[in-house]
Amino acid sequence: MSWVDGRERWVYAGLAYALLAISALATAVTGAGPNGVLGEPAPGGDGGWPGKGADGGLGGVGGWAGGAVALWAAVPWPVAALVAAGWLAPVPWLHRRRDTRRALVVAHYLVLLVLAAALAAKSAAFVVFVSAGYPLAIALLPGRLVMAGVTLTALVNVTAQAGPEAGTTLLTVIAGVAVPLVLAGWYVSAEHDRRRRLVERLRTAMEENAELNARLLDQARRAGVLDERHRVAGEIHDTLAQDLVALIGQLSAAGRAPHEDARRRHLDRAAELARRGLSETRRSVRALRPEPLEDTELPDALGHLARSWAETAGVGLRFEVTGRPVALAAEVESALFRVAQEALANVAKHADATRTALTLSYTDESVLLDIRDDGRGFDPQRPADGFGLDGMRQRARGVGGTLTVESEPGQGATIAAAVPALPVHPHDERQD
């Protein structure tokens, strides 16, 4: 940040005072006359008020104007310079209120230009002070009037340096240059304001879109939680609950058995059902939270899964990570890991493949997981008896993602999951 930031009002006021001081110093050095005009006596040859009529009165409007000019001409330039210095004093105060008191700021600026023009009429050295109108126009005036202020300052500057014979030339400059410049400045400022408002509307729309996207992701997470609950409930109903019903039946049958052999047989079946129910319970718990992700990141966990699966299944597997890995939300990493686990399990059970590839790709906005094999393939449109594909779709949808399946009989299969790259939150900690 520049040191000027926050101090602009003092910088602009200081610059104007510096130009006024330079002009006054140059006037003093070059030696202005007693009334301020270099090398010329005071107007009004007999010491009377210029502009008076023959009877000593002021002749109408022209007389009043002539009297005002004569009064100003009689004021020594040091006094006039002090008046201009006093008029510059409110500049810092006005700079902070240029957006709320525009009429006051514009009026102050116009009076300042009049003072500068009058000083330039007393001494050509004050043309330097007239130049203060350029930065002050930029600092004080509204955007649509900046070009008008700059143009007006330029006209005052040129007029102060032109001789009496330059009247026609000045009119030409005003008509041919000044007016088009003012109109062009007004148009450019209006276009700038229009584009600024458009940018503000776009920024507001983007913020609303980001908020809507966050709400949609939150709804997707909630839907994923409900899907997971339904899945676990279905597994408990299909396995554990049925095993418990059968277990109760076997225990009841053992209590009614007339012989020891029959009772022992029912008890053995009951023990087997209990062991199977315990195994299913453990499997369901593990499905809720992948153990490999407790201590490692997703790429390492998938690499370990790939090596372990390849050794167990006896199938060659190529694992690859592309892009720059980033830490993801726990539910996103869990969903991707379970999709990879379920897909590889299906390959081992049904595909009869000889080669398999597992690819994890990171992009700026999403994470992609691809599992490909050269096995027997299948028809994705044909209803399946198992829960595998539906479970993978639910997991991907639960974190706001999608899952696609591409396969044909005899052509292998490709399962691709795409999920948003939701970052891990600082308070998101994995717990046992």
Side-chain angles (χ1 to χ4, degrees), residues 270-293:
E272 177 62 26
L273 289 172
R275 284 192 294 269
R276 190 169 69 182
L278 178 61
S279 176
E280 289 295 331
T281 301
R282 288 174 174 172
R283 189 185 68 81
S284 297
V285 171
R286 287 195 301 270
L288 292 176
R289 195 169 192 177
E291 181 179 355
L293 291 176

Side-chain angles (χ1 to χ4, degrees), residues 70-97:
L71 179 62
W72 177 258
V75 176
W77 71 262
V79 176
L82 288 176
V83 172
W87 194 256
L88 287 174
V91 167
W93 184 84
L94 292 171
H95 183 270
R96 301 188 67 174
R97 294 161 179 82

Side-chain angles (χ1 to χ4, degrees), residues 33 62 72 95 98 150 153 163 190 259 272-273 303 315 361 383 389 398 413 423 431:
W72 177 258
H95 183 270
R98 61 189 183 277
V150 170
T153 302
H259 303 291
E272 177 62 26
L273 289 172
V315 179
S361 303
L389 288 178
Q431 300 177 351

Side-chain angles (χ1 to χ4, degrees), residues 18 35 76 89 99 142 150 152 186 194 217 228 234 251 269 271 274 279 298 321 343 347 354 356 376 386 390 403 408:
N35 291 321
D99 295 326
V150 170
L152 188 58
W186 183 276
R194 187 185 69 81
L217 289 178
E228 188 68 10
L251 292 176
R269 291 178 180 174
S279 176
L298 180 62
V321 178
V347 172
T354 59
T356 308
R376 64 183 64 179
D390 290 338
L403 186 133
E408 293 181 5

Side-chain angles (χ1 to χ4, degrees), residues 242 274 367:
Q242 294 180 6
V367 182

